[in-house]
Amino acid sequence: TKGGCTVNRQHAGVLFGGILLLVVAMGISRFAFTPLLPFMRVDEGLSFQEAGWLASSNYVGYFVGALGAGFIYRRKKGFLLSNVLLNVVSIIGMGLTHSFALWIVLRFIAGVTSGFIFVLTSSIIMDYLAKHLLTRWSGYAFSGIGIGIAISGLCVPFIETRFLWEGTWIGLGLLSTTFIVLTLLLWRHIVVQDSERVAKTADTNIWRGFMPWLIIAYGLEGLGYIITGTFLVDIIYNIENLRGYASYSWVVVGIAAAPSAPFWMAMMSRFKPIHVMFVAYILQVFGIVLPVLSQTVWSVLLSAFLYGCTFVGIVTLATGYGRQLFPRQSGSVVSILTTFYAVGQIIGPVIASRLEGHFNTFKAPLLFASSIVFCALLILISGYAFTHRKKVIQVERVKSTS
């Protein structure tokens, strides 16, 4: 029993179904590209810049999906599941063509559907758990991202040695299909209520208080984290003495990410959210910059671990805290946060590939990424101090007039 109510079989099934949807849409559809990229680059002669364009195509799609999800008020369940099926098609399609133009299109479709799936699944699960007084369990849904990353990290080298990168995409698509079938069974009795448009008033305007600062910082986090999220395995693969550890590094990211969501949610319920976010951001900055400072096996694996345990953690903290600030508008809050995050993701790989091309070293994009995440942290701290000071002044004014 947690959060004042018992987790029964139906609650657990709904939550597990949500986890599986994020395994497919985030861990596999979005992030299997990272461990597959070195093999695609070698076999297809892809440049670092072309890889950057493929990544950005996916993130442009993710931006469209995340933004569009904020306008879905009716038939959420049916719309969500249709996007899941289209998402799986885009995974399998990657292994059926060698056309760069078609890859761009398929990665875009994967991005659009992932954006819809992440926002809708998150809001459906958070609303369902809140309705049954089980909010503390919401962090577990985000563990699907890490579990999916670990699955893709383990499956890619195993399948690739037998069926090359093309067979790996198809294999991951078939694995995703089994997860979808299981989710359909688990969710067959869940009824998702149509949400109502909340009338815009001064109280429902989310662009006030600490929220704008949280949104801007989260957008910068999207820009910084995605550079490591896209190129980590490729960077390690291209360091001669670390090549054998490239795929393992992505498994480490997934293993660290899987339990991180419930861990950071537990920390947020125990300590001030701003303090918990400060720790998460600082650890991520250190994790991103570590391969620049040291290129040993242990340093890159520690970098992967810190990256995994913080990037999903920051997603969980930002969306969870945003929902705390505006509990009646979970869909809008998650959509706006994810949209700004997606804008950062679009820009990140393009800047990273340009920096790598200009300086001819992976250290340049990693230094840029760590500095951007540090800027995000400074904005969070400044925003908290500013809004806290504003509240104090308002309280003092009320006291002086009464």
Side-chain angles (χ1 to χ4, degrees), residues 7 10-11 35 51 70 83-84 97 100 113 124 132 150 156 170 179 210 216 225 305 309 330 374:
V7 180
Q10 184 182 325
H11 300 332
N83 270 276
V84 171
T97 180
F100 183 76
T113 51
I124 286 169
H132 294 91
V156 166
I170 295 167
F179 291 154
F210 182 61
I216 293 164
Y225 104 94
F305 179 83
C309 76
S330 64
F374 189 70

Side-chain angles (χ1 to χ4, degrees), residues 216-232 281 284-285 287-289 307 311 314 340-349 351-352 364-376:
I216 293 164
Y218 194 57
L220 288 174
E221 157 67 11
L223 198 163
Y225 104 94
I226 201 59
I227 292 171
T228 301
T230 303
F231 298 114
L232 176 70
Y281 273 85
Q284 186 172 99
V285 170
I288 292 172
V289 84
Y307 177 76
F311 99 85
I314 291 170
F340 273 75
Y341 195 69
V343 170
Q345 289 178 148
I346 294 164
I347 302 165
I351 295 175
L366 290 182
L367 285 170
F368 171 76
S370 60
S371 63
I372 288 294
V373 174
F374 189 70
C375 284

Side-chain angles (χ1 to χ4, degrees), residues 66-106:
L67 185 63
F71 297 95
I72 306 299
Y73 298 98
R74 296 172 177 232
R75 298 175 184 169
K76 284 185 180 180
K77 183 181 172 184
F79 187 82
L80 169 62
L81 294 176
S82 63
N83 270 276
V84 171
L85 294 174
L86 193 55
N87 185 271
V88 173
V89 169
S90 74
I91 297 171
I92 295 171
M94 285 295 290
L96 299 176
T97 180
H98 291 254
S99 164
F100 183 76
L102 279 176
W103 286 342
I104 290 281
V105 172
L106 287 167

Side-chain angles (χ1 to χ4, degrees), residues 244-256:
Y245 297 91
S247 292
Y248 293 115
S249 68
W250 200 237
V251 179
V252 170
V253 169
I255 290 169

Side-chain angles (χ1 to χ4, degrees), residues 196-257:
E196 296 176 9
R197 291 180 190 234
V198 180
K200 289 185 179 179
T201 64
D203 290 334
T204 60
N205 174 28
I206 66 174
W207 290 96
R208 60 191 171 90
F210 182 61
M211 196 68 187
W213 301 86
L214 181 66
I215 291 167
I216 293 164
Y218 194 57
L220 288 174
E221 157 67 11
L223 198 163
Y225 104 94
I226 201 59
I227 292 171
T228 301
T230 303
F231 298 114
L232 176 70
V233 177
D234 197 45
I235 286 167
I236 296 170
Y237 188 83
N238 284 288
I239 300 172
E240 198 69 41
N241 61 321
L242 299 178
R243 184 163 291 180
Y245 297 91
S247 292
Y248 293 115
S249 68
W250 200 237
V251 179
V252 170
V253 169
I255 290 169

Side-chain angles (χ1 to χ4, degrees), residues 380-392:
L380 269 183
I381 296 166
S382 303
Y384 183 78
F386 178 77
T387 50
H388 181 70
R389 179 65 185 151
K390 203 174 175 182
K391 279 182 185 175
V392 170

